[in-house]
Amino acid sequence: MSSIIVGAGVFGLSIAWAIRKANPSTPVSILTYDHETAASYDKRKIIRDDYGNAKRMRQAIKVHQLWKDDLFFKRYYHPTGRVLMHHTPAFSRLKEIDESRSELGLPTRPRFDVKTVVEEFGSGSEKRDNALRFMQGVMSRCDEDDIIYSYNEDDGVVEWDKFMAELRQDLIQQGCKIQKAEVQKLVVHEGVVKSIQLVDEDALDVRDRRVFLAAGAWTTKILAQSDLRLPQPERIPEATGLFIFLLELDDSQQTAVAGTPAFSVYGANEAGEDGGEYLPQVNEDRIVKICVVDPFKNTPVGYSYSLPKDCSKDPLASKALGKARKFVKKYIPALLGSRIVGTRSLWDGVTNSQAPLIDKHPQTNNLIIVAGGSYHSAKDGPEIGDRSVKAADGDVDPDCAWEPSSSVIRKYHSHLMTDSDFQDLNQEAADNSEVQEIHSEESQYL
């Protein structure tokens, strides 16, 4: 049976990749509006193994190996390593990871303090020494008590924009048709999606095709506009936004941060810092990424669900920029003064369980929902298409089902759960004198 996929983010492209890999002659079409605020249009992403759940960790390790070994995917992967800083509220997260690693027969991650960083220096590779040097610098600027530092030497960073662009081009060369179009709704009759109504265009007849709805943060909107039942609350992929900043380094900054690992903070009390990340330069573009994790939804009047919007020019973005400056000043001051070449509000569908939704819609027999990446499932790109095709054939992962078992409580990124709404946060930012100053300066530099 031929397939049509709504959405050309990582889920949609992975589904097309899996179908074509299994049967190169199977017709595959993709409809995409190419929303630049979609999480799949990120610059870089971290690839990691560690989760506080052994099943998810086993899955992540398998996918990580594909990023390292597969002839296509390994072109975009860089083994940067990652330093992690755990404040007290994140100690339980670290304990769960230790338990999962133990269950899988893996050693616990080594912990570091001021003394052990010095003792370990020179005992390993240049990459490890660079990480220890970076960690020592962070320690010297952070005098808080009750912080645990760890180093994941096997974590890496993917050139995400390049990966997505070249995966898309590869699919086109394989004969996959990609059409730019905005989907208004799915038209269902007698348990079958019979057509897809496009905005300002005629409807597409799809009654004899499998339809994969992989529209990321727009999935809930399309289901609602189609008068299709939404999942139970903990499975709804709610559109959730956050800000990233792309910084261009000058010669001195490039030298200062050469060889630095990725860096993540967990359990910090200050909004925007908990879950905050630094992704280093991995190619010749001189770009590093700072992620401020202060999530929000956008539920306009008259709507019962969140809708993505471009917030990059709003006062809330200026507030996030202020937090990014504080993050950099505190942890990586060599980046201060770097040129801001990108201020982005990204949106992903976040489920309450933070496991993706990959299952047939119960009201139809040809619609498969693939959504709810929750800002961590993108790394599953090399294999999530296979899981989606299996779900279409009835082989559904219980954790990803429309109605999963009651035991599915994952919370991989609890700092992404929020009830904060953009309209309220943006007004608060607009009324803040410090934010007003940042907003008015329109500075091109951090």
Side-chain angles (χ1 to χ4, degrees):
M1 180 184 290
S2 65
S3 298
I4 187 164
I5 302 164
V6 178
V10 65
F11 284 9
L13 296 185
S14 182
I15 294 166
W17 175 276
I19 293 171
R20 298 291 295 183
K21 182 175 63 175
N23 189 345
S25 64
T26 300
V28 180
S29 300
I30 300 176
L31 301 175
T32 177
Y33 193 64
D34 290 338
H35 295 280
E36 293 187 357
T37 55
S40 284
Y41 288 82
D42 204 345
K43 181 71 174 176
R44 304 217 170 97
K45 289 188 184 292
I46 289 175
I47 307 298
R48 62 186 173 98
D49 292 347
D50 287 352
Y51 283 88
N53 172 270
K55 176 183 175 181
R56 177 59 176 131
M57 186 181 289
R58 187 183 294 110
Q59 188 180 65
I61 291 171
K62 175 185 174 183
V63 174
H64 200 161
Q65 205 61 47
L66 289 173
W67 282 110
K68 294 175 181 177
D69 296 341
D70 183 90
L71 289 176
F72 182 83
F73 297 107
K74 72 179 185 179
R75 290 183 281 177
Y76 313 101
Y77 178 80
H78 299 266
T80 59
R82 182 168 60 128
V83 168
L84 298 92
M85 182 182 191
H86 304 269
H87 292 260
T88 303
F91 287 1
S92 59
R93 174 185 184 276
L94 197 54
K95 180 182 178 183
E96 290 171 354
I97 288 173
D98 286 345
E99 292 171 349
S100 294
R101 292 185 66 83
S102 176
E103 185 176 337
L104 297 181
L106 301 171
T108 58
R109 299 292 190 181
R111 273 53 158 177
F112 294 90
D113 56 27
V114 174
K115 181 180 179 182
T116 54
V117 163
V118 175
E119 291 174 347
E120 292 285 332
F121 193 82
S123 62
S125 63
E126 179 182 359
K127 172 184 168 182
R128 181 180 172 85
D129 282 349
N130 285 338
L132 293 173
R133 190 179 295 110
F134 177 89
M135 201 183 307
Q136 190 175 33
V138 173
M139 289 177 177
S140 70
R141 292 183 290 273
C142 300
D143 56 1
E144 296 104 321
D145 295 328
D146 297 325
I147 293 177
I148 296 176
Y149 295 87
S150 60
Y151 173 51
N152 295 3
E153 190 163 6
D154 51 0
D155 285 358
V157 170
V158 166
E159 296 178 71
W160 198 258
D161 54 345
K162 184 178 179 182
F163 158 65
M164 289 292 292
E166 294 188 5
L167 176 58
R168 181 169 176 154
Q169 189 59 37
D170 187 85
L171 287 167
I172 292 172
Q173 291 174 356
Q174 291 182 39
C176 181
K177 180 182 178 182
I178 300 181
Q179 176 184 347
K180 185 167 184 179
E182 184 175 7
V183 172
Q184 179 179 339
K185 65 178 180 179
L186 311 176
V187 180
V188 179
H189 180 67
E190 295 183 347
V192 176
V193 178
K194 68 173 186 178
S195 63
I196 299 177
Q197 179 62 56
L198 306 179
V199 175
D200 299 327
E201 296 185 46
D202 293 334
L204 298 177
D205 188 340
V206 296
R207 70 188 71 204
D208 296 322
R209 308 175 75 179
R210 290 190 303 188
V211 179
F212 291 89
L213 180 57
W218 288 262
T219 299
T220 300
K221 174 186 175 183
I222 293 173
L223 287 174
Q225 291 179 166
S226 305
D227 292 327
L228 284 167
R229 178 157 60 90
L230 299 182
Q232 54 187 290
E234 63 266 28
R235 303 298 292 134
I236 294 176
E238 292 202 75
T240 304
L242 52 76
F243 289 100
I244 68 166
F245 299 91
L246 304 178
L247 311 177
E248 184 179 59
L249 309 180
D250 61 26
D251 290 343
S252 63
Q253 290 167 335
Q254 190 176 28
T255 300
V257 299
T260 52
F263 174 60
S264 301
V265 177
Y266 294 106
N269 292 322
E270 186 169 343
E273 188 175 320
D274 183 21
E277 293 181 338
Y278 156 71
L279 277 68
Q281 176 185 354
V282 293
N283 54 25
E284 302 303 317
D285 65 6
R286 293 175 174 253
I287 304 297
V288 301
K289 170 187 163 183
I290 299 294
C291 180
V292 174
V293 182
D294 199 0
F296 49 90
K297 298 174 185 175
N298 176 50
T299 309
V301 175
Y303 286 82
S304 60
Y305 50 87
S306 176
L307 295 173
K309 74 181 298 288
D310 184 358
C311 314
S312 60
K313 303 295 184 182
D314 286 291
L316 189 60
S318 298
K319 183 178 181 179
L321 175 57
K323 293 176 180 178
R325 284 174 174 167
K326 291 178 181 177
F327 184 90
V328 165
K329 183 178 181 180
K330 184 175 184 179
Y331 299 119
I332 321 160
L335 299 180
L336 290 172
S338 53
R339 191 163 75 92
I340 304 169
V341 294
T343 298
R344 306 270 303 280
S345 59
L346 296 182
W347 292 82
D348 200 2
V350 175
T351 65
N352 192 48
S353 69
Q354 297 185 336
L357 172 59
I358 308 176
D359 199 354
K360 283 187 175 181
H361 192 284
Q363 290 177 271
T364 73
N365 59 21
N366 68 329
L367 174 62
I368 303 93
I369 312 299
V370 185
S374 302
Y375 287 103
H376 73 92
S377 292
K379 66 173 67 67
D380 297 324
E383 65 86 44
I384 204 161
D386 291 323
R387 290 163 59 195
S388 303
V389 173
K390 287 180 180 179
D393 293 332
D395 183 6
V396 179
D397 181 340
D399 284 5
C400 302
W402 183 271
E403 295 184 358
S405 65
S406 58
S407 62
V408 179
I409 303 174
R410 296 291 180 256
K411 308 294 186 186
Y412 302 126
H413 289 302
S414 57
H415 49 272
L416 288 171
M417 307 304 296
T418 183
D419 291 322
S420 299
D421 192 80
F422 168 76
Q423 301 296 336
D424 297 331
L425 294 176
N426 197 52
Q427 188 59 56
E428 290 176 11
D431 293 339
N432 184 289
S433 58
E434 182 179 341
V435 174
Q436 289 173 3
E437 184 176 345
I438 297 172
H439 195 63
S440 62
E441 71 183 36
E442 297 184 352
S443 176
Q444 296 182 356
Y445 296 90
L446 191 68

